[in-house]
Amino acid sequence: MLARKDLRRIAIIVAAVWMTSTGAVAAHAAPAPASADTAVVSLPAPTGENPVGMTELHLTDPDRNDPWDDGPRELLVQIWYPAQDAGAAASAAWMPAGGREEQAAYLTELGVRPDSWTLGSSHSYVNRPAREGDSRFPVLLNSPGMGDTTGWSTAQAEDLASHGYVVVAINHTHEAFSVHFPDGQVERTVVPLDSPQEVLRDVLLPTRVADTRFVLDELSAATTGQGSQTAGRLPAGLAGSLDMAKVGMFGHSLGGSTTVQALHDEPRIRVGVNLDGPILGSVATEGTDKPLLMLAGGASPWYGKPGWEPYWPSNTGMKLPLRVSGTEHMSFCDQQTILPQLAAAGLLPADTNTKAVGRIDPQRSVELQRIYLRTFFDSAFNRNGTGVIEAITTLAQPEILLPW
């Protein structure tokens, strides 16, 4: 039987091949105390000037039944945002409970002993008041990879928040590995990673897009206080700091697929970034008329295939399909940070690390992802006075392989 780590990649590759042929925060337990023999994995610090706040919201969509349950659709979202000075407050856990549970299972399958490592803290502070100022912050929705939970892209989310963005990551309940709601309810995945490609296209993708639109509805309502579940449960000042005229989205793997389809379906989402995900759904044939940055692994199996080719015939929007030399599929989430540290500590075989996150220097990989995400969104939202094409071209980093 294939391990989950193998099924994760195979499920997405199968879909890509098929495409080419057709207010309270859940309690955060502190990381387990590290013994002298325990490797403590550290999270790279954000590079912006703003302290980062973090909160979680339990949302219920009364107008939509859950595809895997008899009741209404319930979601848990995790939000990072520019915060006021945290002072001496303790930082939050790197990942929420569901993310840590998934991380432990993933590393166990890679052969890493559960008692040999622990995650360090994040650089975020739970429920800190939002930063005060004259301007509002653009909102970036985030969709994780297939079966993944929020918290697996914390390095990206914290950095964006430190530079003046609100990042809203969505746990896609019953697909995500494990979601721990603040009332004690725990929902684990019921979707095998080796599900037929039709499941990705006909069930997972539309469910994810519907989740995204509902969360966007709630955020919009929070800014007015009318009919919102969230307005009174967000940290002080956060609802009033959301700039709902500047909404973008990014995601890894199937989260990247979700981003591109949501960009097609939802007028309020203006720009998107696809981090190594195949193009699925109606957008594959219809394209989108909005700016789209695409970052693929150096040996990505779908680079150059429909949707990832330099000139997408049905697409009228600006599309930048780039590759990052030396990376692999799992480079585009926090595994790029975690696995190399465990390999350096002798807890993970070097070849296993290379197969997952490539040969690129891990700090450089994280730096590149952060720079390209921030530059793209800054340009798309006219925050740096430079057009997107000019800004991305000017970066001209040697590891970034251009399609032209």
Side-chain angles (χ1 to χ4, degrees):
M1 179 180 293
L2 289 171
R4 181 178 173 87
K5 65 179 185 297
D6 300 312
L7 292 176
R8 176 190 304 278
R9 185 169 181 84
I10 287 173
I12 298 295
I13 290 176
V14 166
V17 171
W18 166 77
M19 269 300 306
T20 64
S21 66
T22 57
V25 177
H28 285 277
S35 70
D37 298 325
T38 302
V40 179
V41 182
S42 62
L43 179 69
T47 61
E49 63 181 14
N50 294 300
V52 178
M54 191 278 294
T55 193
E56 288 182 342
L57 285 172
H58 179 183
L59 301 173
T60 301
D61 186 350
D63 299 323
R64 184 164 55 112
N65 290 329
D66 192 296
W68 298 281
D69 194 22
D70 292 334
R73 182 70 168 161
E74 293 184 73
L75 298 174
L76 188 66
V77 300
Q78 188 174 6
I79 306 175
W80 294 264
Y81 55 93
Q84 295 183 27
D85 186 2
S91 55
W94 179 336
M95 298 178 186
R100 298 197 301 273
E101 188 176 321
E102 181 187 9
Q103 187 66 54
Y106 180 52
L107 291 180
T108 298
E109 288 172 355
L110 293 179
V112 181
R113 296 194 331 270
D115 61 350
S116 66
W117 62 277
T118 188
L119 296 178
S121 297
S122 74
H123 303 282
S124 304
Y125 302 91
V126 175
N127 288 337
R128 293 296 304 172
R131 195 194 78 187
E132 297 176 340
D134 297 330
S135 60
R136 296 187 175 191
F137 307 120
V139 175
L140 302 177
L141 301 163
N142 172 252
S143 182
M146 183 178 180
D148 293 338
T149 69
T150 64
W152 270 42
S153 293
T154 298
Q156 296 166 355
E158 285 190 336
D159 194 65
L160 287 163
S162 77
H163 286 275
Y165 288 92
V166 176
V167 179
V168 183
I170 306 167
N171 282 291
H172 300 289
T173 313
H174 297 125
E175 180 206 323
F177 185 88
S178 176
V179 182
H180 293 239
F181 289 95
D183 61 1
Q185 171 190 358
V186 178
E187 299 293 344
R188 294 187 168 84
T189 184
V190 296
V191 181
L193 282 171
D194 58 347
S195 298
Q197 61 266 27
E198 292 84 358
V199 172
L200 275 70
R201 181 197 64 190
D202 298 336
V203 180
L204 301 189
L205 190 66
T207 298
R208 282 166 161 259
V209 171
D211 289 346
T212 301
R213 301 182 87 162
F214 168 64
V215 170
L216 192 52
D217 288 343
E218 282 297 313
L219 294 174
S220 297
T223 64
T224 65
Q226 301 297 315
S228 170
Q229 301 178 42
T230 65
R233 293 157 47 200
L234 290 172
L238 183 54
S241 74
L242 303 176
D243 188 346
M244 300 308 297
K246 295 180 179 178
V247 177
M249 187 169 179
F250 68 102
H252 171 235
S253 196
L254 188 57
S257 312
T258 305
T259 294
V260 181
Q261 186 64 44
L263 199 62
H264 171 276
D265 293 351
E266 175 50 64
R268 292 172 292 182
I269 302 176
R270 292 175 48 186
V271 295
V273 179
N274 177 358
L275 300 173
D276 209 36
I279 304 301
L280 306 172
S282 60
V283 71
T285 55
E286 298 173 6
T288 176
D289 59 358
K290 301 171 186 174
L292 174 63
L293 174 65
M294 306 171 76
L295 295 179
S300 176
W302 41 83
Y303 190 83
K305 301 297 191 298
W308 274 95
E309 73 275 47
Y311 302 103
W312 188 352
S314 59
N315 192 71
T316 59
M318 176 177 52
K319 185 184 73 168
L320 298 169
L322 311 177
R323 281 184 295 160
V324 186
S325 179
T327 61
E328 294 289 344
H329 186 62
M330 297 305 288
S331 296
F332 297 93
C333 64
D334 285 353
Q335 303 315 311
Q336 179 68 93
T337 290
I338 295 168
L339 300 187
Q341 292 185 56
L342 295 177
L347 300 174
L348 181 70
D351 61 340
T352 302
N353 174 69
T354 300
K355 288 177 182 177
V357 295
R359 298 184 180 279
I360 191 172
D361 177 82
Q363 293 182 351
R364 177 60 172 162
S365 181
V366 171
E367 178 187 34
L368 286 169
Q369 292 172 46
R370 286 174 161 183
I371 289 173
Y372 273 80
L373 279 166
R374 185 172 70 250
T375 299
F376 176 76
F377 286 125
D378 280 351
S379 298
F381 292 132
N382 197 28
R383 302 179 89 205
N384 59 11
T386 305
V388 172
I389 294 290
E390 179 184 355
I392 296 297
T393 303
T394 301
L395 281 179
Q397 301 299 307
E399 300 90 344
I400 303 298
L401 306 179
L402 305 176
W404 53 80

